[in-house]
Amino acid sequence: MLEDTSFAIRPVDQADEKEVWQPVGDVQKIEEKKQICSFTCENASGKIHFYRDDIVRVTIDPFDGKYDSVSPAVIATPEKVDVHVQEKENGWTLQTKQLTVIIERSPFRLAIYDQEGTLLVRDVQPVCFEAKGRMRCTHALAPTDVVYGLGEKTGVLNKRGAVWTMWNTDVYAPHNLETDPLYQSHPYMMVLKNGHAHGIFFDHTYKTTFDLRHESFYTFTSDGGALDYYVFAGPHPKDVLAQYTHLVGRMPLPPKWALGYHQSRYSYETEQEVRELIDTFRAKHIPLDAVYLDIHYMDEYRVFTFDQKRFPHPQSLVQYAKEQGVHIVPIVDPGVKVDAEYDTYRDGVQKDYFCKYADGTLYKGDVWPGTSVFPDFLKKKVRKWWGEQHTFYTDIGIEGIWNDMNEPSVFNETKTMDEQVVHDGWKTHRQVHNVYGMMMTEATYHGLKKQLKGKRPFVLTRAGFAGIHRYAAVWTGDNRSFWEHLELSIPMCLNLGLSAVAFCGADVGGFAHDANGELLVRWTQVGAFFPYFRNHCAIGFARQEPWAFGETYEQIIKRYIELRYEWLPHLYSLCFEAHQTGVPMMRPLMMEYPNDRETWNISDQFMVGNEVMVAPVMRPYTAHRIVYFPEGRWVDYWTKEKFEGGQRYIVEAPLDRLPIYVKEGAMIAHAKAKLSTFIKDEQLTLYVYTMKEGTSTYTLYDDDGTTFAYEKGEYVHMHIRATFLDDTVYFEVETEGAYEPTWQLRVVFVGDVPSTVVVNGEQRAIEEASIVL
Ligand code: MIG
């Protein structure tokens, strides 16, 4: 407890850590073969490897391969690239169509430029290493550069001005702007330089730090492993995402139900309680697609069991829920209870699947079930085995799993597994800690995928590493029912999205602490436009279901949950875009307006796609706020009032109003509100926000919402182009894909209704301001 007093800042520990950094030295030899340039320095060997014209990998190894990378992040292999090499007075120049890498010989230093000559990366100090296996590099940053990404971090959108650490950690203490690290590690940044974006990914699984406190440089330090990073040329922020996700993969399409409204609590403790919960939603006509079973469903927290008293008939519960259009999602933690009569423990011990120390003794740690062991997810056969255990759930109709505590979290001083534990042979926990959770989630995803026979699994995870989006949605862990945490959730999820985790969200209403009606309303309004939308609440705190705070609040909350379902066709189309391009559905304004410096630091507004902007109210007793509008004209979604962009306005937002703005000219597809995604749409409406003159485009995507048939072309992809001219709208509609939609698409004009409408060259009659496309 002394650490809570001034004792914590006693002088003795504040003395500089004695650092023994050694530079890699001058380049002695260099050799270029195909698209790999290998070089030898006095104290290290290195490689510059072009993966594409716009992606280059840099590795520098002073340790003779002792610390080979075990990162699962990268799934792309290099493509053929033409590299032009030139020797210069003090080094070499390597050039592709999009990147120029300059190697300085003495001392060894790199500079990387894009094809327009923008400086992306430059060593401002020599790359250094420490005998213990640590590495450090220091790259130039201009004072006006903005840094985004770094995955799941607190703070504002721009990550400069702080040190960020990557070391997956369970943090129940209130998350502050500075709380770091949290549950995930994404050693990846997107840098915006005068409107030009580039990316850099340090593929290190060891603990790493990004020191962004300085005006003209940043320092990256890894606790181990050869230096290994990739640079993405950009120049548009969307290009950077396309390049990064080319390397680490893109999200599969989630089942549609995963995009609906989800209700959770730690815990709904009995079967009866879950049934009543679903019944209440239905009686009140509030949409609902999933209910979560937190740890109480298990028999003394043994994974792959149900408590016989609390949940005597899990199969009929799952069945009952499905009849109401609801999926049941149970939690699965990695800790396996030490209990010689428990099958999962026995089986895992017999097969030698749990983590051990080098001397062969099992690692044991305390988690919910008491003393537990932990599967070695770094081993392929363990992942397969773990995946297979999930037939316990899928056999009774479960299609979604929630992975928690997979940092891994252990109830001890270090909060995690002993760093001396070895995985998959001889990888220490120190080395693989940050990927443990991702490997668990991969096991879960693949297990479910196999068992669901063609249906899309849904997995939610707390821990993760770069690439986690290939397997799961991510939620930001244990926030609280604080207004500050509502605010925090926006830059956190925006930066997760910029780090390729497009499908993410925060616990709506706040996990710990007591929510109140006003907070829950404001949070539900925002949550309805986050990629992942779940209300979750901790044990011992005020109930937080939509009706928990009385009729007035309930009606508004219900309206916004319905709004979510009205916006689903748009959100689902954006999901497909994320799946195809890596560009997330929820975006910072910067992503659409990188040349408008006013957008660079906006943490309290966001875009949903490229033409919809949300500017929530996130303060108590507050019914107005300042909104920044980028260039162009914007239409208030509710009042249809117009705003001229390039300036700020004070807007009114009473409790029942989430400020939403649509760009003039935009088209947005909506459905009718419904109780669950189980119900098919018969009609979709394309709202066309008319303008005087100009062109706009929209892509509407749909498929069966449940299977992988979309991978074989079973989808409908409508590319709609609208040209507004002389009171006429000309639509050009192109449709691809083999899926026969269940709906008809009706066009409704918002704003001035045109006098003439032409669809693919054919004039059409307008009835009640609408036509059918
Ligand atoms: O608090 O399983 O973040 O969502 O309800 C420790 C119980 C364990 C942490 C998760 C939270 C979940 C809770 N878990």
Side-chain angles (χ1 to χ4, degrees), residues 266 294-295 331 368 402 404-405 462 475 478 511 536:
Y266 167 27
D294 209 322
I295 53 176
I331 197 168
W368 299 125
W402 169 21
D404 187 25
M405 304 288 279
R462 195 170 71 176
W475 99 102
D478 296 344
F511 176 66
H536 182 45

Side-chain angles (χ1 to χ4, degrees), residues 64-84:
D64 290 328
K66 184 171 170 206
Y67 300 96
D68 270 351
S69 171
V70 294
S71 166
V74 173
I75 56 169
T77 46
E79 290 172 11
K80 177 151 175 21
V81 184
D82 287 327
V83 185
H84 182 68

Side-chain angles (χ1 to χ4, degrees), residues 33-177:
K33 242 195 221 152
K34 293 198 178 134
Q35 55 210 59
I36 307 178
C37 165
S38 312
F39 54 90
T40 317
C41 298
E42 286 163 82
N43 301 315
S45 59
K47 269 190 197 126
I48 314 278
H49 191 165
F50 289 92
Y51 271 47
R52 279 195 339 193
D53 281 322
D54 51 0
I55 303 175
V56 63
R57 177 183 186 183
V58 176
T59 45
I60 299 170
D61 185 4
F63 312 116
D64 290 328
K66 184 171 170 206
Y67 300 96
D68 270 351
S69 171
V70 294
S71 166
V74 173
I75 56 169
T77 46
E79 290 172 11
K80 177 151 175 21
V81 184
D82 287 327
V83 185
H84 182 68
V85 185
Q86 244 182 313
E87 183 155 5
K88 295 267 170 74
E89 203 177 316
N90 181 30
W92 297 265
T93 305
L94 319 171
Q95 211 168 358
T96 70
K97 281 195 208 97
Q98 295 203 50
L99 285 167
T100 304
V101 177
I102 294 173
I103 306 175
E104 262 180 64
R105 192 193 320 253
S106 180
F108 166 76
R109 283 207 278 193
L110 280 185
I112 304 179
Y113 296 86
D114 71 7
Q115 94 266 39
E116 288 166 33
T118 307
L119 178 71
L120 310 185
V121 171
R122 184 162 61 87
D123 286 315
V124 293
Q125 276 167 29
V127 172
C128 287
F129 64 100
E130 227 193 19
K132 277 186 292 182
R134 299 171 77 197
M135 294 241 31
R136 189 170 82 181
C137 65
T138 303
H139 291 160
L141 215 50
T144 50
D145 289 354
V146 189
V147 173
Y148 304 100
L150 295 175
E152 184 186 54
K153 293 296 174 200
T154 60
V156 292
L157 191 59
N158 184 350
K159 303 327 282 178
R160 292 195 72 171
V163 182
W164 302 104
T165 299
M166 302 298 165
W167 184 254
N168 292 2
T169 310
D170 171 6
V171 184
Y172 178 71
H175 301 171
N176 297 316
L177 288 183

